[in-house]
């Protein structure tokens, strides 16, 4: 199982979370990545943890003020990027363009989607993975794998019908080892989470608990 920790814009210490994630990954053998703010990519990457961007724009070099260039994210140490998170929605055409940008920069990609239909549309664009995250559960205390297991199973089936090579992750409310184990039982290859680690009093303890379900 892959664990991708999205720090969003939470007021946490990104380096401290990254160091904890690096240590837990090394000790448990579970693949863990951290997605900080763009300004913190280099500092997080220097910890040795697998580092992801939260977003890259569907652009190349040129006159694009305020956009995150995929090549710049990669140069700062990112090896992957989220796309189309529910808090950073893109049109389907822009998802396609951002995937092209990520491919140019050799970034692994996860495209987020709300439901199985969107998962199928995203999988058709050829990302490395898709993640199903019902918006109403994001930031809550109940995991999608518990609150709506059918949507995870549906997402796995939808992606598999389009492209069996595309992995499916699930997110929204994930925070414990039980959540991780439930996601795996439903066919997911990984999980996305944010507040369960980024807002935890002890991120290391939260990560230890999470990987106990792997």
């Amino acid at each position: 199982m892959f664990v991708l920790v999205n720090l969003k814009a939470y007021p946490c210490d990104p380096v401290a979370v990254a160091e904890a994630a690096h240590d837990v990954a090394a000790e448990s053998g579970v693949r863990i990545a951290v997605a900080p703010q763009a300004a913190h990519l280099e500092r997080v990457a220097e910890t040795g943890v697998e580092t992801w961007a939260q977003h890259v724009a569907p652009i190349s070099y040129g006159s694009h003020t305020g956009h995150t260039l995929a090549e710049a994210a990669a140069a700062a140490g990112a090896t992957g990027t989220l796309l189309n998170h529910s808090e950073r929605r893109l049109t389907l055409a822009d998802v396609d363009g951002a995937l092209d940008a990520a491919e140019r920069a050799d970034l692994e990609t996860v495209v987020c989607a709300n439901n199985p239909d969107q998962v199928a549309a995203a999988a058709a664009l050829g990302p490395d993975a898709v993640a199903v995250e019902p918006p109403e559960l994001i930031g809550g205390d109940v995991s999608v794998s518990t609150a709506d297991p059918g949507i995870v199973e549906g997402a796995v089936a939808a992606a598999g019908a389009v492209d069996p090579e595309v992995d499916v992750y699930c997110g929204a409310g994930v925070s414990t080892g039980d959540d991780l184990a439930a996601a795996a039982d439903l066919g997911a290859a990984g999980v996305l989470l944010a507040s369960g680690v980024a807002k935890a009093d002890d991120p290391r303890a939260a990560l230890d608990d999470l990987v106990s379900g792997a």
Side-chain angles (χ1 to χ4, degrees):
M1 292 289 280
F2 176 43
V3 174
L4 179 51
V5 181
N6 178 12
L7 300 185
K8 300 190 177 183
Y10 288 129
C12 60
D13 181 342
V15 172
V17 174
E19 289 173 342
H22 176 270
D23 291 347
V24 172
E27 293 169 14
S28 67
V30 175
R31 182 186 173 199
I32 303 175
V34 175
Q37 286 281 301
H40 300 149
L41 281 169
E42 189 167 0
R43 291 171 59 210
V44 165
E46 286 173 350
T47 69
V49 77
E50 183 175 339
T51 303
W52 281 52
Q54 294 181 8
H55 167 79
V56 297
I59 60 166
S60 56
Y61 289 100
S63 303
H64 303 292
T65 301
H67 293 268
T68 301
L69 182 69
E71 288 85 350
T79 58
T81 184
L82 287 166
L83 294 171
N84 198 48
H85 191 277
S86 64
E87 295 157 0
R88 189 64 174 85
R89 282 288 180 222
L90 300 172
T91 65
L92 201 60
D94 280 345
V95 171
D96 197 22
L99 284 168
D100 288 343
E103 184 175 8
R104 286 197 317 270
D106 197 28
L107 295 173
E108 191 174 341
T109 51
V110 174
V111 176
C112 299
N114 290 351
N115 55 56
D117 288 341
Q118 289 186 13
V119 163
L125 299 176
D128 294 295
V130 292
V132 62
E133 290 193 304
E136 65 274 13
L137 297 177
I138 291 176
D141 297 324
V142 181
S143 168
V144 60
S145 56
T146 300
D148 195 353
I151 200 170
V152 180
E153 293 174 321
V156 171
V162 172
D163 185 347
E165 297 300 311
V166 175
D167 285 332
V168 177
Y169 306 149
C170 71
V174 174
S175 62
T176 69
D178 287 343
D179 296 336
L180 187 70
D185 288 343
L186 294 170
V191 296
L192 272 60
L193 73 157
S195 58
V197 171
K199 296 175 72 175
D201 292 334
D202 185 343
R204 168 67 195 249
L207 286 163
D208 280 331
D209 181 19
L210 186 70
V211 301
S212 69

